[in-house]
């Protein structure tokens, strides 16, 4: 079943890849279908395949597919569906995640939150979470989706919000020596797309600075 789902996702990605006509036909209804597939996922493999697919819709030939970026951002990040993705929090100079624990007997929406008794909120340290290869892959795809949503400097104000990818989180990630290089690379891309070479960033440090 899982292998068959991967073939379906790979096929869909190839159909939409750099296909201007097909991508222009993607609307909120279609995105809703893919989000429902994500909700019904029964494994981490399913999850990161569908998250990657959503990210791959956001650009074509290296250029932002603005309409699709806006639809996914609207549904996933501004209309209460953001519980489908891990929630990150910076606490005492470290990144913690509020993230679900895999339960292959249930769909993703029924998975319980992974907890950690060492943190009063029960959140899991990001560096611990990504020690598992499959969990790491899922989080890599989440970072990829965020980066694709802000390609072309679109949706940056939404993604800079404290609930998503604030500057404080990016800076902590880049300085955290316990994070794998592949995770830090995801944050580097987000840093470039959200916080570098952007005149709107001058209010962050009081200077008209282009990093």
């Amino acid at each position: 079943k899982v292998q068959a789902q991967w073939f379906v996702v790979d096929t869909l990605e190839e159909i939409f890849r750099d296909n201007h006509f097909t991508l222009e036909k993607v609307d909120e209804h279609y995105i809703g279908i893919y989000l429902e597939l994500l909700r019904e996922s029964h494994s981490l493999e399913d999850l990161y395949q569908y998250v990657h697919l959503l990210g791959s819709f956001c650009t074509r030939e290296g250029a932002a597919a603005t309409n699709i970026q806006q639809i996914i951002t609207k549904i996933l990040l501004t209309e209460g569906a953001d519980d489908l993705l891990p929630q990150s929090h910076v606490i005492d100079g470290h990144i913690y995640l509020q993230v679900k624990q895999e339960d292959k007997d249930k769909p993703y929406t029924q998975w319980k939150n992974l907890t950690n008794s060492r943190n009063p909120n029960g959140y899991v340290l990001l560096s611990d979470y990504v020690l598992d290869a499959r969990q790491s892959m899922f989080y890599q795809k989440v970072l990829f989706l965020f980066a694709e949503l802000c390609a072309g400097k679109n949706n940056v104000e939404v993604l800079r919000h404290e609930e998503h990818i604030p500057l404080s989180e990016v800076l902590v990630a880049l300085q955290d020596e316990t994070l794998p290089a592949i995770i830090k690379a995801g944050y580097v891309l987000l840093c470039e797309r959200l916080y570098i070479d952007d005149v709107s960033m001058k209010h962050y440090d009081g200077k008209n600075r282009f990093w």
Side-chain angles (χ1 to χ4, degrees):
K1 178 182 176 183
V2 170
Q3 191 65 42
Q5 288 176 316
W6 289 359
F7 288 148
V8 170
V9 171
D10 290 341
T11 300
L12 287 170
E13 186 173 355
E14 288 303 317
I15 289 173
F16 285 98
R17 187 191 302 277
D18 299 334
N19 189 324
H20 291 232
F21 178 79
T22 306
L23 281 169
E24 287 172 359
K25 298 297 182 181
V26 174
D27 58 15
E28 196 165 323
H29 171 72
Y30 283 104
I31 297 301
I33 291 174
Y34 298 126
L35 287 176
E36 190 59 34
L37 291 173
L38 194 156
R39 290 185 177 95
E40 293 299 317
S41 297
H42 280 70
S43 71
L44 285 168
E45 286 84 0
D46 293 349
L47 279 179
Y48 61 66
Q49 287 282 324
Y50 290 126
V51 171
H52 180 83
L53 180 64
L54 287 171
S56 70
F57 288 162
C58 294
T59 57
R60 49 178 176 258
E61 296 181 351
T66 305
N67 61 318
I68 299 176
Q69 289 175 311
Q70 291 174 343
I71 291 170
I72 296 175
T73 300
K74 175 186 174 184
I75 297 175
L76 201 57
L77 301 183
T78 64
E79 292 189 346
D82 54 354
D83 61 328
L84 293 175
L85 300 176
Q87 303 295 297
S88 55
H89 308 271
V90 176
I91 303 173
D92 296 330
H94 298 281
I95 299 173
Y96 287 83
L97 297 182
Q98 184 177 352
V99 61
K100 297 178 183 293
Q101 184 170 19
E102 183 181 46
D103 184 344
K104 293 188 176 182
D105 293 327
K106 297 178 181 179
Y108 177 54
T109 51
Q110 294 181 24
W111 294 2
K112 295 181 179 180
N113 282 340
L114 189 62
T115 58
N116 181 353
S117 59
R118 291 179 296 174
N119 183 271
N121 297 304
Y123 301 150
V124 180
L125 196 63
L126 173 59
S127 56
D128 288 343
Y129 182 75
V130 298
L131 288 174
D132 179 274
R134 296 164 66 247
Q135 292 176 172
S136 177
M137 179 62 75
F138 174 45
Y139 199 70
Q140 290 171 45
K141 297 304 182 183
V142 171
L143 295 177
F144 166 76
L145 172 59
F146 282 152
E148 293 301 279
L149 287 174
C150 61
K153 300 297 182 184
N154 295 321
N155 304 306
V156 293
E157 291 303 322
V158 173
L159 284 157
R160 286 174 183 165
H161 194 274
E162 192 68 27
E163 295 180 353
H164 305 307
I165 309 291
L167 180 60
S168 59
E169 179 177 336
V170 172
L171 295 178
V172 167
L174 297 183
Q175 297 176 71
D176 190 341
E177 297 299 327
T178 66
L179 288 179
I182 190 67
I183 298 297
K184 297 182 80 167
Y187 276 103
V188 168
L189 181 58
L190 280 165
C191 183
E192 185 274 325
R193 292 188 175 179
L194 287 174
Y195 297 108
I196 292 179
D197 195 23
D198 190 341
V199 69
S200 69
M201 281 298 299
K202 63 183 180 181
H203 69 276
Y204 277 82
D205 59 9
K207 300 175 182 178
N208 186 10
R209 177 179 296 171
F210 290 79
W211 296 352

